Amino acid sequence: MPRIICVAGARPNFMKVKPVMDALEARGAEVVLVHTGQHYDAAMNDVFFADLGLRPPDRHLGTGSGTHAEQTARVMTAFEPLVDELRPDAVVVVGDVTSTLACALVSAKAGVPVAHVEAGLRSRDWGMPEEVNRVVTDRLSELLFAPSPDGVDNLRAEGYHDDQIHLAGNVMIDTLYANLDRALASDVLHRHGLVPGEYALATMHRPANVDDAGMLTGLLNALGQIARELPVVLPVHPRTATRLEEVGLPDGIRLVPPAGYLDFIALQASARLVLTDSGGVQEETTALGVPCLTMRDSTERPITITEGTNLLVGRDPERIVSTARKVLADPPPKRAPSLWDGHAGARVADAILAYLEAPVRLRPTDSRESIAA
Ligand code: UD1
Ligand code: UDP
């Protein structure tokens, strides 16, 4: 059976890689789980292995934090010898973090097919580091697994061939459904003194929102105004924690450490409103039917707006507050995008194994040769 490396490195990777790994192993593949070490704090890393039942990584690259170039280079130099040693038949990368791009680049140059899970998403905001990672990772990948039809449309428009593109559904939602009952049994609301349906949950960690003191202050002020009507709980990402030391915090916002997976799902499920700049949280709130305001000017996940509970509210504090009031008074209905059904990991695994089992001459045409550079 084929040997397949699955790469994870940062918080939103763990819940995406787990269903793919499980499905590959259930079909007899040998899976090597490689952790790049991009995230390493107990609250950003260890808790996800415990909560998700993810086995310890088979290999850990220990690369840690750094600038984009430092981090990319460190992951690449640590991953390249591993690929030479293990000679995998394929490498699976998920999402849009720096580790995703770095491992895809090494694999492509080593001649190992790359499967990108969460392909085709586009914010069209080139100032967002993840957008660069998305576009380049897709370009390096032979198998492109889109979570939603908009992803397929984007890939087709960029010249990728239909036989490379798979509408697989959303692996993050596989993990949500698999763990929902356990999450709902969490006592996190009790621990934070929260009443179901009577609080708002917020997260913020996009560099464009938190690295600039003026922008961060404006967004916190918006949360502070909402907190006058509804308690706001804000689990703080480490990037944001550093910045919060420089700006004042309005009354009423309850800062808590980054939440574990089960606790965070429980916090989302019982929130009256979620305010976020996270990619994954836009999707999970849609699946849970909880109203979500995305404090950004663009989203790479438009299906959460057209077929979900998400509203792109921008970053103007007054607009955030007035939209929050409207949504509290008139919440959107729960809707579920198709193929967000708990079986995306199985579809990904089936397609990867079918690809590897096909004689090389029958594999999808390599669209990379026909896409203009
Ligand atoms: C990264 C991803 C982002 C994703 C986010 C999820 C990139 C370019 N960005 O952003 O897409 O949404 O993870 O959470 O890959 N730090 C710690 N402890 C940790 C990890 C990070 O203290 O365990 C601090 C360090 O000071 C580090 C900073 O957070 O420099 C930023 O970490 P980094 O992984 O570079 O980017 P994120 O902002 O976490
Ligand atoms: N998450 C979590 N604890 C938190 C915040 C988020 O477990 O305090 C989970 C969330 O449920 C989702 C994932 O982390 O599964 C989203 O990751 P994040 O927001 O860090 O990254 P993004 O999706 O923006 O890349």
Side-chain angles (χ1 to χ4, degrees):
M1 283 305 284
R3 171 182 286 172
I4 299 174
I5 290 181
C6 288
V7 175
R11 177 166 73 185
N13 290 166
F14 306 124
M15 51 295 279
K16 293 173 192 172
V17 89
K18 168 82 165 123
V20 178
M21 278 181 63
D22 285 352
L24 285 169
E25 287 182 334
R27 286 156 180 75
E30 180 197 350
V31 172
V32 182
L33 175 60
V34 175
H35 192 318
T36 66
Q38 180 173 344
H39 284 177
Y40 42 84
D41 286 349
M44 296 298 288
N45 180 69
D46 306 34
V47 68
F48 297 98
F49 283 80
D51 280 5
L52 299 171
L54 196 53
R55 68 160 186 264
D58 299 303
R59 299 298 183 98
H60 198 291
L61 307 183
T63 51
S65 300
T67 65
H68 288 281
E70 286 167 348
Q71 209 169 46
T72 308
R74 270 194 239 131
V75 174
M76 288 181 71
T77 44
F79 191 57
E80 189 177 51
L82 199 62
V83 171
D84 285 347
E85 177 200 328
L86 296 174
R87 304 198 160 277
D89 296 290
V91 170
V92 176
V93 294
V94 298
D96 55 14
V97 302
T98 295
S99 301
T100 309
L101 167 63
C103 292
L105 187 47
V106 167
S107 308
K109 289 203 170 181
V112 179
V114 179
H116 184 205
V117 177
E118 204 181 270
L121 298 190
R122 300 288 183 264
S123 66
R124 300 187 171 76
D125 174 2
W126 202 244
M128 203 183 173
E130 294 82 0
E131 184 72 355
V132 179
N133 295 344
R134 290 179 198 118
V135 169
V136 180
T137 301
D138 284 345
R139 193 75 166 79
L140 296 165
S141 300
E142 296 195 15
L143 291 164
L144 298 161
F145 293 103
S148 46
D150 54 282
V152 172
D153 293 346
N154 290 332
L155 292 168
R156 281 190 184 139
E158 289 174 23
Y160 292 94
H161 294 173
D162 273 352
D163 52 8
Q164 277 188 289
I165 305 171
H166 301 264
L167 178 58
N170 193 319
V171 291
M172 192 173 227
I173 303 305
D174 287 12
T175 298
L176 172 67
Y177 290 155
N179 292 285
L180 190 54
D181 287 346
R182 289 168 63 230
L184 294 177
S186 159
D187 65 353
V188 65
L189 270 72
H190 177 70
R191 270 185 272 131
H192 293 316
L194 299 166
V195 178
E198 292 183 25
Y199 64 93
L201 173 68
T203 77
M204 282 194 285
H205 69 275
R206 297 261 89 84
N209 281 354
V210 305
D211 284 0
D212 176 78
M215 179 61 72
L216 179 58
T217 303
L219 295 175
L220 288 170
N221 285 340
L223 297 183
Q225 284 192 55
I226 294 167
R228 287 185 203 150
E229 295 158 40
L230 196 64
V232 174
V233 59
L234 176 62
V236 185
H237 186 282
R239 172 186 287 277
T240 314
T242 322
R243 308 292 168 178
L244 281 176
E245 290 162 14
E246 298 158 22
V247 301
L249 189 71
D251 290 341
I253 302 177
R254 300 189 200 175
L255 292 189
V256 297
Y261 180 76
L262 296 174
D263 286 354
F264 194 76
I265 296 296
L267 285 169
Q268 287 185 84
S270 290
R272 189 151 163 224
L273 177 67
V274 173
L275 299 110
T276 193
D277 59 13
S278 159
V281 174
Q282 295 174 62
E283 297 178 338
E284 289 168 345
T285 46
T286 274
L288 291 166
V290 174
C292 177
L293 300 191
T294 296
M295 301 182 290
R296 290 173 40 187
D297 300 324
S298 63
T299 179
E300 62 290 331
R301 292 166 162 89
I303 196 162
T304 59
I305 299 172
T306 54
E307 293 183 37
T309 55
N310 188 20
L311 265 177
L312 194 60
V313 73
R315 297 180 297 161
D316 172 57
E318 280 177 24
R319 184 164 167 223
I320 293 170
V321 176
S322 61
T323 312
R325 289 201 179 110
K326 275 188 216 147
V327 169
L328 289 172
D330 184 18
K334 181 177 180 183
R335 296 175 290 177
S338 62
L339 297 183
W340 291 24
D341 59 357
H343 303 293
R347 286 187 284 269
V348 169
D350 284 340
I352 293 174
L353 295 177
Y355 169 89
L356 292 176
E357 279 158 19
V360 172
R361 68 190 158 72
L362 290 181
R363 288 185 183 174
T365 346
D366 190 343
S367 62
R368 288 171 294 187
E369 285 166 20
S370 61
I371 298 176

